[in-house]
Amino acid sequence: MTLAAPAGSALAFLFDIVATSARLTLEEERDVAQTAAADHVYTVYPNTLGQAVDHDA
């Protein structure tokens, strides 16, 4: 689902800012995904997977 704002509105202006500033390289996207996955494992499974998975892996 894609959100759309009325043309010329303040929300449309903010969407434009995000669209131009939120572009990440493939490597940056990969790093963000890896960090999010590790954070999820350590937060949700601290006593099981969080201990089994090396944080540097």
Side-chain angles (χ1 to χ4, degrees):
M1 180 173 134
T2 302
L3 297 176
S9 70
L11 185 57
F13 178 72
L14 291 174
F15 279 178
D16 289 342
I17 291 171
V18 169
T20 57
S21 65
R23 292 191 179 105
L24 300 175
T25 66
L26 185 58
E27 186 176 330
E28 290 170 329
E29 286 184 22
R30 189 175 299 123
D31 289 343
V32 169
Q34 289 173 346
T35 301
D39 182 64
H40 176 74
V41 167
Y42 300 134
T43 301
V44 178
Y45 308 105
N47 297 319
T48 55
L49 276 176
Q51 292 179 357
V53 177
D54 180 9
H55 70 278
D56 292 326

Short mmCIF file of all heavy atoms in Angstrom, two decimals:
data_model
loop_
_atom_site.label_atom_id
_atom_site.label_comp_id
_atom_site.label_asym_id
_atom_site.label_seq_id
_atom_site.Cartn_x
_atom_site.Cartn_y
_atom_site.Cartn_z
N MET A 1 0.84 -1.18 0.00
CA MET A 1 0.00 0.00 0.00
C MET A 1 0.89 1.24 0.00
O MET A 1 1.80 1.37 0.80
CB MET A 1 -0.88 -0.02 1.24
CG MET A 1 -1.79 1.15 1.33
SD MET A 1 -2.93 0.91 2.71
CE MET A 1 -2.82 2.50 3.45
N THR A 2 0.62 2.15 -0.88
CA THR A 2 1.38 3.38 -0.96
C THR A 2 0.53 4.54 -0.47
O THR A 2 -0.62 4.68 -0.89
CB THR A 2 1.80 3.66 -2.42
OG1 THR A 2 2.56 2.55 -2.89
CG2 THR A 2 2.62 4.92 -2.51
N LEU A 3 1.11 5.31 0.43
CA LEU A 3 0.40 6.49 0.92
C LEU A 3 0.58 7.63 -0.06
O LEU A 3 1.66 7.82 -0.61
CB LEU A 3 0.93 6.90 2.29
CG LEU A 3 0.73 5.89 3.41
CD1 LEU A 3 1.40 6.40 4.69
CD2 LEU A 3 -0.74 5.65 3.66
N ALA A 4 -0.46 8.41 -0.26
CA ALA A 4 -0.38 9.57 -1.13
C ALA A 4 -0.97 10.77 -0.40
O ALA A 4 -1.93 10.63 0.35
CB ALA A 4 -1.13 9.32 -2.43
N ALA A 5 -0.39 11.90 -0.62
CA ALA A 5 -0.87 13.13 0.00
C ALA A 5 -1.33 14.07 -1.11
O ALA A 5 -0.82 14.00 -2.23
CB ALA A 5 0.24 13.77 0.81
N PRO A 6 -2.27 14.94 -0.81
CA PRO A 6 -2.71 15.90 -1.82
C PRO A 6 -1.54 16.75 -2.30
O PRO A 6 -0.71 17.19 -1.49
CB PRO A 6 -3.74 16.77 -1.09
CG PRO A 6 -4.18 15.94 0.08
CD PRO A 6 -3.02 15.07 0.44
N ALA A 7 -1.46 16.95 -3.60
CA ALA A 7 -0.36 17.74 -4.18
C ALA A 7 -0.33 19.13 -3.56
O ALA A 7 -1.36 19.76 -3.35
CB ALA A 7 -0.54 17.85 -5.68
N GLY A 8 0.87 19.56 -3.22
CA GLY A 8 1.05 20.89 -2.65
C GLY A 8 0.81 20.98 -1.15
O GLY A 8 1.03 22.03 -0.56
N SER A 9 0.40 19.89 -0.54
CA SER A 9 0.14 19.92 0.90
C SER A 9 1.44 19.80 1.68
O SER A 9 2.48 19.42 1.13
CB SER A 9 -0.80 18.78 1.30
OG SER A 9 -0.14 17.54 1.18
N ALA A 10 1.37 20.12 2.95
CA ALA A 10 2.55 20.00 3.81
C ALA A 10 3.00 18.55 3.89
O ALA A 10 4.19 18.26 3.91
CB ALA A 10 2.25 20.55 5.20
N LEU A 11 2.05 17.63 3.91
CA LEU A 11 2.39 16.22 3.98
C LEU A 11 3.11 15.78 2.70
O LEU A 11 4.08 15.03 2.75
CB LEU A 11 1.14 15.37 4.20
CG LEU A 11 1.34 13.88 4.42
CD1 LEU A 11 2.28 13.63 5.60
CD2 LEU A 11 0.01 13.19 4.65
N ALA A 12 2.66 16.26 1.56
CA ALA A 12 3.34 15.93 0.30
C ALA A 12 4.76 16.46 0.31
O ALA A 12 5.69 15.80 -0.17
CB ALA A 12 2.56 16.51 -0.88
N PHE A 13 4.95 17.65 0.87
CA PHE A 13 6.29 18.23 0.98
C PHE A 13 7.18 17.35 1.85
O PHE A 13 8.33 17.07 1.50
CB PHE A 13 6.18 19.65 1.56
CG PHE A 13 7.50 20.33 1.75
CD1 PHE A 13 8.23 20.76 0.67
CD2 PHE A 13 8.01 20.55 3.02
CE1 PHE A 13 9.46 21.39 0.84
CE2 PHE A 13 9.22 21.17 3.21
CZ PHE A 13 9.95 21.59 2.12
N LEU A 14 6.66 16.88 2.97
CA LEU A 14 7.43 16.00 3.84
C LEU A 14 7.75 14.67 3.16
O LEU A 14 8.85 14.15 3.30
CB LEU A 14 6.67 15.75 5.15
CG LEU A 14 6.56 16.95 6.08
CD1 LEU A 14 5.67 16.63 7.27
CD2 LEU A 14 7.92 17.42 6.54
N PHE A 15 6.79 14.11 2.43
CA PHE A 15 7.04 12.88 1.69
C PHE A 15 8.17 13.08 0.68
O PHE A 15 9.00 12.19 0.49
CB PHE A 15 5.78 12.42 0.96
CG PHE A 15 4.79 11.67 1.84
CD1 PHE A 15 3.59 11.24 1.30
CD2 PHE A 15 5.03 11.41 3.17
CE1 PHE A 15 2.66 10.56 2.08
CE2 PHE A 15 4.12 10.73 3.96
CZ PHE A 15 2.93 10.30 3.41
N ASP A 16 8.20 14.24 0.03
CA ASP A 16 9.28 14.53 -0.93
C ASP A 16 10.64 14.58 -0.24
O ASP A 16 11.63 14.08 -0.77
CB ASP A 16 9.02 15.85 -1.66
CG ASP A 16 7.87 15.76 -2.64
OD1 ASP A 16 7.51 14.62 -3.03
OD2 ASP A 16 7.34 16.82 -3.03
N ILE A 17 10.69 15.18 0.94
CA ILE A 17 11.94 15.24 1.69
C ILE A 17 12.42 13.84 2.03
O ILE A 17 13.59 13.50 1.84
CB ILE A 17 11.78 16.08 2.98
CG1 ILE A 17 11.57 17.55 2.64
CG2 ILE A 17 12.99 15.91 3.89
CD1 ILE A 17 11.20 18.42 3.83
N VAL A 18 11.52 13.02 2.52
CA VAL A 18 11.89 11.65 2.89
C VAL A 18 12.34 10.87 1.67
O VAL A 18 13.33 10.15 1.71
CB VAL A 18 10.70 10.94 3.59
CG1 VAL A 18 10.97 9.46 3.75
CG2 VAL A 18 10.43 11.59 4.94
N ALA A 19 11.64 11.03 0.57
CA ALA A 19 11.98 10.28 -0.64
C ALA A 19 13.36 10.63 -1.16
O ALA A 19 14.09 9.77 -1.65
CB ALA A 19 10.94 10.55 -1.72
N THR A 20 13.78 11.88 -1.02
CA THR A 20 15.08 12.26 -1.53
C THR A 20 16.20 12.00 -0.53
O THR A 20 17.34 11.78 -0.92
CB THR A 20 15.11 13.75 -1.93
OG1 THR A 20 14.75 14.55 -0.81
CG2 THR A 20 14.17 14.03 -3.07
N SER A 21 15.89 11.98 0.75
CA SER A 21 16.96 11.81 1.74
C SER A 21 17.08 10.39 2.25
O SER A 21 18.06 10.05 2.90
CB SER A 21 16.74 12.76 2.92
OG SER A 21 15.56 12.43 3.61
N ALA A 22 16.12 9.54 1.98
CA ALA A 22 16.11 8.20 2.55
C ALA A 22 16.69 7.15 1.60
O ALA A 22 16.56 5.97 1.85
CB ALA A 22 14.69 7.81 2.94
N ARG A 23 17.33 7.57 0.56
CA ARG A 23 17.90 6.60 -0.37
C ARG A 23 19.21 6.05 0.18
O ARG A 23 20.16 6.78 0.42
CB ARG A 23 18.12 7.25 -1.72
CG ARG A 23 16.81 7.60 -2.39
CD ARG A 23 17.00 8.01 -3.83
NE ARG A 23 15.72 8.30 -4.43
CZ ARG A 23 15.29 9.54 -4.69
NH1 ARG A 23 16.04 10.57 -4.43
NH2 ARG A 23 14.11 9.72 -5.23
N LEU A 24 19.24 4.76 0.37
CA LEU A 24 20.42 4.09 0.90
C LEU A 24 21.05 3.25 -0.21
O LEU A 24 20.36 2.75 -1.09
CB LEU A 24 20.05 3.18 2.06
CG LEU A 24 19.41 3.82 3.29
CD1 LEU A 24 19.01 2.75 4.28
CD2 LEU A 24 20.35 4.82 3.92
N THR A 25 22.33 3.07 -0.11
CA THR A 25 22.99 2.16 -1.03
C THR A 25 22.63 0.74 -0.64
O THR A 25 22.13 0.49 0.47
CB THR A 25 24.51 2.32 -0.99
OG1 THR A 25 24.98 1.92 0.30
CG2 THR A 25 24.94 3.75 -1.28
N LEU A 26 22.90 -0.20 -1.51
CA LEU A 26 22.60 -1.60 -1.22
C LEU A 26 23.37 -2.06 0.02
O LEU A 26 22.82 -2.76 0.87
CB LEU A 26 22.96 -2.48 -2.42
CG LEU A 26 22.61 -3.95 -2.32
CD1 LEU A 26 21.13 -4.14 -2.07
CD2 LEU A 26 23.03 -4.67 -3.58
N GLU A 27 24.60 -1.63 0.14
CA GLU A 27 25.41 -2.00 1.31
C GLU A 27 24.82 -1.42 2.59
O GLU A 27 24.78 -2.08 3.63
CB GLU A 27 26.85 -1.54 1.13
CG GLU A 27 27.77 -2.01 2.23
CD GLU A 27 29.23 -1.63 1.98
OE1 GLU A 27 29.62 -1.55 0.80
OE2 GLU A 27 29.94 -1.42 2.97
N GLU A 28 24.37 -0.17 2.54
CA GLU A 28 23.76 0.46 3.72
C GLU A 28 22.47 -0.25 4.10
O GLU A 28 22.21 -0.48 5.29
CB GLU A 28 23.49 1.94 3.45
CG GLU A 28 24.73 2.78 3.36
CD GLU A 28 24.46 4.19 2.86
OE1 GLU A 28 23.52 4.39 2.06
OE2 GLU A 28 25.20 5.10 3.27
N GLU A 29 21.65 -0.62 3.11
CA GLU A 29 20.42 -1.35 3.39
C GLU A 29 20.74 -2.70 4.04
O GLU A 29 20.06 -3.11 4.98
CB GLU A 29 19.63 -1.59 2.10
CG GLU A 29 18.94 -0.36 1.57
CD GLU A 29 18.10 -0.65 0.35
OE1 GLU A 29 17.70 -1.83 0.15
OE2 GLU A 29 17.83 0.27 -0.41
N ARG A 30 21.77 -3.37 3.56
CA ARG A 30 22.17 -4.66 4.12
C ARG A 30 22.62 -4.48 5.57
O ARG A 30 22.25 -5.27 6.44
CB ARG A 30 23.29 -5.26 3.27
CG ARG A 30 23.63 -6.68 3.64
CD ARG A 30 24.67 -7.28 2.70
NE ARG A 30 24.17 -7.32 1.33
CZ ARG A 30 24.77 -6.75 0.29
NH1 ARG A 30 25.90 -6.10 0.43
NH2 ARG A 30 24.26 -6.84 -0.92
N ASP A 31 23.41 -3.45 5.85
CA ASP A 31 23.87 -3.20 7.22
C ASP A 31 22.70 -2.92 8.16
O ASP A 31 22.66 -3.43 9.29
CB ASP A 31 24.85 -2.03 7.25
CG ASP A 31 26.19 -2.35 6.64
OD1 ASP A 31 26.50 -3.56 6.47
OD2 ASP A 31 26.93 -1.40 6.32
N VAL A 32 21.74 -2.13 7.69
CA VAL A 32 20.57 -1.81 8.51
C VAL A 32 19.76 -3.07 8.78
O VAL A 32 19.31 -3.30 9.90
CB VAL A 32 19.70 -0.72 7.83
CG1 VAL A 32 18.36 -0.57 8.52
CG2 VAL A 32 20.43 0.60 7.80
N ALA A 33 19.59 -3.91 7.76
CA ALA A 33 18.83 -5.16 7.93
C ALA A 33 19.53 -6.09 8.91
O ALA A 33 18.88 -6.72 9.76
CB ALA A 33 18.64 -5.84 6.59
N GLN A 34 20.86 -6.20 8.81
CA GLN A 34 21.60 -7.06 9.73
C GLN A 34 21.50 -6.56 11.16
O GLN A 34 21.32 -7.34 12.10
CB GLN A 34 23.06 -7.15 9.31
CG GLN A 34 23.28 -7.95 8.05
CD GLN A 34 24.72 -7.88 7.56
OE1 GLN A 34 25.50 -7.04 8.00
NE2 GLN A 34 25.05 -8.75 6.63
N THR A 35 21.61 -5.26 11.34
CA THR A 35 21.49 -4.68 12.68
C THR A 35 20.10 -4.91 13.25
O THR A 35 19.95 -5.27 14.42
CB THR A 35 21.82 -3.18 12.64
OG1 THR A 35 23.14 -3.02 12.14
CG2 THR A 35 21.69 -2.54 14.01
N ALA A 36 19.07 -4.72 12.43
CA ALA A 36 17.69 -4.92 12.89
C ALA A 36 17.45 -6.38 13.26
O ALA A 36 16.81 -6.67 14.27
CB ALA A 36 16.71 -4.48 11.81
N ALA A 37 17.99 -7.30 12.46
CA ALA A 37 17.81 -8.72 12.75
C ALA A 37 18.51 -9.10 14.05
O ALA A 37 17.95 -9.81 14.89
CB ALA A 37 18.35 -9.57 11.60
N ALA A 38 19.73 -8.62 14.24
CA ALA A 38 20.47 -8.92 15.48
C ALA A 38 19.75 -8.32 16.68
O ALA A 38 19.62 -8.98 17.72
CB ALA A 38 21.89 -8.38 15.38
N ASP A 39 19.28 -7.10 16.56
CA ASP A 39 18.56 -6.46 17.65
C ASP A 39 17.32 -7.26 18.02
O ASP A 39 17.02 -7.46 19.20
CB ASP A 39 18.19 -5.02 17.27
CG ASP A 39 17.48 -4.31 18.40
OD1 ASP A 39 18.09 -4.11 19.47
OD2 ASP A 39 16.29 -3.96 18.22
N HIS A 40 16.62 -7.73 17.01
CA HIS A 40 15.42 -8.54 17.25
C HIS A 40 15.77 -9.82 18.01
O HIS A 40 15.11 -10.16 19.00
CB HIS A 40 14.74 -8.88 15.93
CG HIS A 40 13.57 -9.79 16.07
ND1 HIS A 40 12.36 -9.37 16.58
CD2 HIS A 40 13.43 -11.11 15.81
CE1 HIS A 40 11.52 -10.39 16.62
NE2 HIS A 40 12.15 -11.45 16.15
N VAL A 41 16.80 -10.51 17.57
CA VAL A 41 17.20 -11.76 18.22
C VAL A 41 17.59 -11.51 19.67
O VAL A 41 17.14 -12.22 20.57
CB VAL A 41 18.37 -12.43 17.46
CG1 VAL A 41 19.00 -13.54 18.29
CG2 VAL A 41 17.89 -12.98 16.13
N TYR A 42 18.41 -10.51 19.91
CA TYR A 42 18.88 -10.25 21.28
C TYR A 42 17.78 -9.73 22.18
O TYR A 42 17.80 -9.95 23.39
CB TYR A 42 20.05 -9.27 21.27
CG TYR A 42 21.23 -9.78 20.48
CD1 TYR A 42 21.90 -8.96 19.59
CD2 TYR A 42 21.68 -11.09 20.62
CE1 TYR A 42 22.99 -9.43 18.86
CE2 TYR A 42 22.75 -11.56 19.89
CZ TYR A 42 23.41 -10.73 19.02
OH TYR A 42 24.46 -11.20 18.29
N THR A 43 16.78 -9.03 21.61
CA THR A 43 15.69 -8.48 22.41
C THR A 43 14.62 -9.52 22.70
O THR A 43 14.16 -9.66 23.84
CB THR A 43 15.05 -7.28 21.68
OG1 THR A 43 16.06 -6.29 21.47
CG2 THR A 43 13.93 -6.67 22.50
N VAL A 44 14.22 -10.25 21.68
CA VAL A 44 13.10 -11.19 21.82
C VAL A 44 13.54 -12.53 22.40
O VAL A 44 12.78 -13.18 23.11
CB VAL A 44 12.40 -11.38 20.46
CG1 VAL A 44 11.27 -12.40 20.56
CG2 VAL A 44 11.86 -10.05 19.95
N TYR A 45 14.77 -12.95 22.11
CA TYR A 45 15.25 -14.25 22.57
C TYR A 45 16.56 -14.11 23.36
O TYR A 45 17.56 -14.73 23.03
CB TYR A 45 15.50 -15.17 21.37
CG TYR A 45 14.33 -15.27 20.43
CD1 TYR A 45 14.35 -14.61 19.20
CD2 TYR A 45 13.21 -16.03 20.76
CE1 TYR A 45 13.28 -14.71 18.33
CE2 TYR A 45 12.14 -16.14 19.89
CZ TYR A 45 12.18 -15.46 18.68
OH TYR A 45 11.12 -15.55 17.82
N PRO A 46 16.58 -13.31 24.42
CA PRO A 46 17.84 -13.04 25.12
C PRO A 46 18.46 -14.27 25.79
O PRO A 46 19.67 -14.36 25.92
CB PRO A 46 17.45 -11.99 26.16
CG PRO A 46 16.01 -12.22 26.42
CD PRO A 46 15.45 -12.67 25.09
N ASN A 47 17.64 -15.22 26.21
CA ASN A 47 18.15 -16.38 26.94
C ASN A 47 18.36 -17.61 26.08
O ASN A 47 18.79 -18.65 26.58
CB ASN A 47 17.22 -16.72 28.11
CG ASN A 47 17.17 -15.58 29.10
OD1 ASN A 47 18.18 -14.98 29.41
ND2 ASN A 47 15.98 -15.27 29.57
N THR A 48 18.02 -17.52 24.79
CA THR A 48 18.20 -18.68 23.91
C THR A 48 19.07 -18.27 22.72
O THR A 48 20.29 -18.36 22.79
CB THR A 48 16.83 -19.22 23.45
OG1 THR A 48 16.08 -18.17 22.85
CG2 THR A 48 16.05 -19.80 24.62
N LEU A 49 18.43 -17.85 21.65
CA LEU A 49 19.19 -17.46 20.45
C LEU A 49 20.16 -16.33 20.72
O LEU A 49 21.25 -16.28 20.16
CB LEU A 49 18.24 -17.05 19.32
CG LEU A 49 17.67 -18.16 18.46
CD1 LEU A 49 16.69 -17.58 17.46
CD2 LEU A 49 18.76 -18.93 17.75
N GLY A 50 19.77 -15.41 21.59
CA GLY A 50 20.64 -14.29 21.92
C GLY A 50 21.98 -14.73 22.47
O GLY A 50 22.99 -14.07 22.30
N GLN A 51 21.99 -15.86 23.18
CA GLN A 51 23.23 -16.38 23.72
C GLN A 51 23.96 -17.27 22.72
O GLN A 51 25.18 -17.38 22.75
CB GLN A 51 22.97 -17.16 25.01
CG GLN A 51 22.52 -16.27 26.14
CD GLN A 51 22.25 -17.06 27.42
OE1 GLN A 51 22.34 -18.28 27.44
NE2 GLN A 51 21.93 -16.32 28.47
N ALA A 52 23.19 -17.92 21.83
CA ALA A 52 23.79 -18.85 20.88
C ALA A 52 24.41 -18.14 19.67
O ALA A 52 25.36 -18.63 19.09
CB ALA A 52 22.74 -19.83 20.40
N VAL A 53 23.87 -17.00 19.31
CA VAL A 53 24.34 -16.27 18.13
C VAL A 53 25.43 -15.29 18.54
O VAL A 53 25.23 -14.46 19.40
CB VAL A 53 23.18 -15.54 17.45
CG1 VAL A 53 23.67 -14.72 16.26
CG2 VAL A 53 22.11 -16.53 17.01
N ASP A 54 26.56 -15.39 17.91
CA ASP A 54 27.66 -14.47 18.18
C ASP A 54 27.29 -13.09 17.65
O ASP A 54 26.91 -12.94 16.49
CB ASP A 54 28.93 -14.98 17.49
CG ASP A 54 30.14 -14.10 17.72
OD1 ASP A 54 30.06 -13.16 18.54
OD2 ASP A 54 31.16 -14.35 17.08
N HIS A 55 27.41 -12.06 18.47
CA HIS A 55 27.01 -10.72 18.03
C HIS A 55 27.89 -10.17 16.92
O HIS A 55 27.53 -9.22 16.26
CB HIS A 55 26.99 -9.76 19.22
CG HIS A 55 28.32 -9.43 19.77
ND1 HIS A 55 28.98 -10.24 20.65
CD2 HIS A 55 29.14 -8.38 19.56
CE1 HIS A 55 30.15 -9.71 20.96
NE2 HIS A 55 30.28 -8.59 20.31
N ASP A 56 29.05 -10.75 16.70
CA ASP A 56 29.92 -10.30 15.62
C ASP A 56 29.72 -11.11 14.33
O ASP A 56 30.30 -10.80 13.31
CB ASP A 56 31.40 -10.40 16.03
CG ASP A 56 31.73 -9.40 17.11
OD1 ASP A 56 31.16 -8.29 17.10
OD2 ASP A 56 32.57 -9.73 17.97
N ALA A 57 28.88 -12.15 14.41
CA ALA A 57 28.66 -13.01 13.23
C ALA A 57 27.73 -12.35 12.24
O ALA A 57 26.90 -11.57 12.56
CB ALA A 57 28.08 -14.35 13.67
#
